[in-house]
Amino acid sequence: MARRYDSKTTIFSPEGRLYQVEYAMEAIGHAGTCLGILANDGIVLAAERRNTNKLLDDVFLSDKIYKIDEDMACCVAGITSDANVLTNELRAIAQRHTLQFGEPIPCEQLVMRLCDIKQAYTQYGGKRPFGVSILYMGWDTRHGYQLYQSDPSGNYSGWKATCIGNSSAAAVSILKQEYKVSETDLHQALLLALKVMSKTLDMTKLNAEKLELATLVRNDNKTEINVISVEEVKELIKEHEQKEAEAEAAKQDKQSGSGKSSDK
Amino acid sequence: MLQCLPQVQVTDYYCCCCLIYCCFCCSCCSTPVLPLTSILCSLTSTHYTSIMSLECLIGVKFNNFVLMATDMSHLQSIMVQKSDDDKMLALSKNLVMAVSGEAGDTTQFAEYIAKNIQLYKMRNGYELPPAAAVHFTRHTLATHLRSREPYFVNLLMGGVDPDTNKTELFYMDYLAASIPVKYYAFGYGGMFTLSVMDKEYTPDMNEKEAYELLKKCVAEIKRRFIINLPKFRVRIISKEGIKDMPHIVGEGEAA
């Protein structure tokens, strides 16, 4: 019965749903995980890299994280070709704003503009929606560090930490437990990102080749967007594993220690 | 070969139809002369705009506030239509735009910019800083310049940036050239007052001293300019906002 309302994007089903939009979000649920964490002094974006073929030429440093403007970068999950079109549009929107107003576009305005475009594809034109969810990290003078997420329906929201793509629900629940609001600095955020990725990615051990990490910080009145190199990622993974081992050891001690006391 | 024509005197007419500056010096007696094409143009066209305006806009920037003064006469050929005209428009709480130029264009352009700036505020919940508003204005003016509908307006935009508390004053002319300035005066009145400001201006004046400076400028205009501009409206823009000051009524005597 619902099938009859599937083929066109621009009509509601009897239950009041837009099926094409929901199917687009389904498509994103199968894509590589991306997560973003807001720290006190910066923002972290982590992404799972799916194309790890040895034969791939590494022309771009990152195939999921894009720089949009001097103060903004984004990470995409979903159909890569759709993502290319959208990031192109994001860059054009940012420059058009600077052309008109002489200042960098504030983060929320950029997200809002793109989401208006995404929404248009759910209402008219007869074209399918974009199968891309985007995580934006940026800095502006008005609200400082910001993290936003947008999805194919054209909705967007600001987050302190969030995840999109494969196993995103699991990752978000881990973040809810582990993320400490306004107590996390950039380094802790990086380690937290690795922790969440290791728990949600379907592999036993974290591999630097399969991860992309990027940070955004403000130094000396300039924004620095840095895609972390493979060597540094390896260092971070080592540190993360060390911490995990220490935490494990501490837990063992506690258990054995409490066992001893109960003996008495 | 140019012929000497008796009725030609003023040297800076810009013919809007031929889009040329139409003044030459006659080769035999070196009096300024309008070429024949422009004479024909002036006989047939309805408007004929001079680069230099009979209206006067003055803006001066100090450390803590900006003073803007505009004359209050609205002129239509030889008649004073209105002597309490307001040539300044508040674009936001801390930014004022003074406009002069072709009648109609001034109001149209000023209101268009003002409403767009208000729209930005409504959409985003915060105001455009003055430098960005000036950039936007200049961009609009430049886009229209190279189209079929150029605006013939000269502007002074003065205000205080609410985030940095710095005062700003921008000159913008009808060719969409925009520069930050410490003080400027548009129009023929400017020719008489810029030198006064050159001599007397210091950036750390207080409000009373600044007002006296403006009074000196207006007195100079009253003394030396053929057109009578009896009253000037004065506004002060500080980080608290825009305030009206008493009108300056020219007290100078003829030279």
Side-chain angles (χ1 to χ4, degrees):
Chain A
M1 175 67 181
R3 293 284 152 192
R4 279 205 283 153
Y5 301 91
D6 279 4
S7 44
K8 285 209 176 139
T9 61
T10 56
I11 55 179
F12 282 105
S13 77
E15 299 93 48
R17 295 155 70 173
L18 289 169
Y19 277 114
Q20 283 299 307
V21 175
E22 292 184 15
Y23 296 159
M25 304 215 231
E26 260 298 304
I28 292 157
H30 298 305
T33 318
C34 287
L35 78 96
I37 300 176
L38 198 63
N40 293 340
D41 51 351
I43 316 177
V44 172
L45 279 183
E48 173 199 355
R49 193 185 293 208
R50 284 271 171 95
N51 320 344
T52 50
N53 197 329
K54 255 199 318 192
L55 294 173
L56 269 180
D57 188 15
D58 41 44
V59 169
F60 299 112
L61 204 54
S62 160
D63 59 19
K64 282 177 71 94
I65 300 180
Y66 301 83
K67 183 173 170 186
I68 301 173
D69 196 10
E70 289 305 317
D71 304 308
M72 281 196 76
C74 74
C75 179
V76 300
I79 304 175
T80 312
S81 44
D82 285 5
N84 282 338
V85 170
L86 287 180
T87 45
N88 212 14
E89 189 57 37
L90 281 167
R91 288 167 175 157
I93 294 171
Q95 291 310 309
R96 257 180 249 136
H97 186 276
T98 310
L99 176 65
Q100 239 194 352
F101 295 103
E103 56 162 29
I105 186 167
C107 300
E108 190 173 350
Q109 284 189 40
L110 178 64
V111 178
M112 213 161 37
R113 290 272 166 85
L114 189 78
C115 286
D116 285 344
I117 296 174
K118 283 204 211 183
Q119 185 274 345
Y121 282 79
T122 69
Q123 196 176 12
Y124 45 81
K127 301 195 173 87
R128 66 164 176 82
F130 289 98
V132 192
S133 268
I134 311 180
L135 280 182
Y136 310 80
M137 65 174 178
W139 182 93
D140 64 39
T141 53
R142 215 146 288 279
H143 299 295
Y145 297 111
Q146 294 154 73
L147 178 67
Y148 291 97
Q149 175 197 335
S150 71
D151 60 27
S153 65
N155 283 324
Y156 74 91
S157 36
W159 293 84
K160 297 183 186 98
T162 187
C163 182
I164 52 178
N166 199 3
S167 322
S168 53
V172 171
S173 58
I174 300 174
L175 281 171
K176 240 201 267 197
Q177 289 178 323
E178 305 271 343
Y179 178 74
K180 294 178 188 51
V181 180
S182 71
E183 278 178 23
T184 313
D185 68 14
L186 196 70
H187 194 73
Q188 287 172 329
L190 279 165
L191 291 175
L192 178 59
L194 287 174
K195 186 172 185 183
V196 175
M197 287 299 251
S198 70
K199 288 197 178 161
T200 57
L201 289 181
D202 50 347
M203 53 172 151
T204 43
K205 206 167 127 69
L206 273 180
N207 186 352
E209 306 286 333
K210 285 207 145 232
L211 273 184
E212 288 176 19
L213 277 180
T215 56
L216 186 149
V217 283
R218 259 322 257 190
N219 268 334
D220 284 338
N221 274 338
K222 250 178 72 83
T223 308
E224 288 169 7
I225 299 172
N226 182 29
V227 177
I228 299 181
S229 64
V230 176
E231 288 75 36
E232 286 183 52
V233 176
K234 283 194 177 134
E235 296 285 315
L236 281 165
I237 292 179
K238 249 201 305 195
E239 193 183 333
H240 157 76
E241 282 168 356
Q242 223 180 5
K243 281 224 159 83
E244 288 289 297
E246 284 168 14
E248 266 301 307
K251 235 193 340 187
Q252 295 286 5
D253 278 348
K254 237 180 156 186
Q255 277 182 347
S256 56
S258 61
K260 277 193 199 140
S261 59
S262 69
D263 278 352
K264 288 183 191 149
Chain B
M1 176 138 140
L2 296 173
Q3 298 170 356
C4 290
L5 295 161
Q7 68 268 39
V8 179
Q9 263 94 53
V10 185
T11 59
D12 49 7
Y13 268 94
Y14 172 71
C15 179
C16 288
C17 330
C18 315
L19 300 178
I20 51 167
Y21 287 99
C22 24
C23 170
F24 290 78
C25 268
C26 170
S27 48
C28 52
C29 49
S30 65
T31 49
V33 145
L34 286 170
L36 220 56
T37 47
S38 336
I39 302 288
L40 290 172
C41 241
S42 72
L43 292 173
T44 52
S45 71
T46 44
H47 65 240
Y48 201 174
T49 332
S50 169
I51 298 287
M52 279 300 230
S53 168
L54 302 173
E55 310 168 305
C56 187
L57 306 177
I58 310 179
V60 201
K61 172 180 85 159
F62 300 94
N63 284 340
N64 299 321
F65 58 91
V66 179
L67 268 189
M68 304 268 271
T70 55
D71 75 282
M72 289 162 73
S73 314
H74 193 277
L75 306 167
Q76 180 99 331
S77 93
I78 57 166
M79 183 171 65
V80 177
Q81 269 189 334
K82 189 174 154 79
S83 48
D84 57 359
D85 198 16
D86 189 356
K87 299 188 173 130
M88 291 190 253
L89 200 60
L91 298 182
S92 69
K93 181 170 158 283
N94 304 91
L95 186 62
V96 162
M97 172 159 79
V99 234
S100 76
E102 178 146 353
D105 279 3
T106 50
T107 326
Q108 182 80 339
F109 185 75
E111 283 185 357
Y112 177 72
I113 298 294
K115 296 323 164 196
N116 265 290
I117 290 179
Q118 284 306 304
L119 178 63
Y120 185 98
K121 180 176 152 197
M122 291 305 150
R123 273 199 185 134
N124 302 305
Y126 46 82
E127 285 187 339
L128 263 178
V134 169
H135 191 106
F136 169 70
T137 310
R138 194 212 67 80
H139 183 77
T140 312
L141 205 52
T143 316
H144 282 273
L145 184 65
R146 292 160 184 81
S147 73
R148 274 183 41 246
E149 355 165 303
Y151 286 105
F152 192 86
V153 289
N154 292 315
L155 319 169
L156 273 176
M157 291 176 75
V160 183
D161 191 328
D163 298 320
T164 61
N165 276 337
K166 275 225 198 89
T167 51
E168 309 197 349
L169 180 67
F170 286 87
Y171 154 104
M172 202 178 307
D173 65 18
Y174 69 101
L175 292 173
S178 166
I179 46 166
V181 287
K182 288 186 289 204
Y183 50 83
Y184 195 75
F186 270 109
Y188 284 114
M191 291 181 146
F192 303 110
T193 54
L194 279 172
S195 38
V196 174
M197 289 195 268
D198 280 338
K199 188 153 189 290
E200 309 274 347
Y201 167 81
T202 55
D204 56 0
M205 286 176 156
N206 63 26
E207 284 184 26
K208 214 159 76 75
E209 291 168 340
Y211 193 78
E212 289 302 312
L213 172 64
L214 272 186
K215 276 173 85 167
K216 280 199 186 114
C217 294
V218 173
E220 200 59 35
I221 296 175
K222 185 79 197 253
R223 189 177 299 121
R224 287 290 182 184
F225 190 28
I226 188 178
I227 303 289
N228 184 29
L229 299 175
K231 272 199 295 189
F232 274 72
R233 186 185 295 273
V234 185
R235 288 214 170 94
I236 179 170
I237 306 110
S238 60
K239 63 174 164 41
E240 282 86 46
I242 305 166
K243 227 176 41 168
D244 275 16
M245 290 185 98
H247 300 324
I248 298 178
V249 181
E251 294 274 333
E253 291 179 5

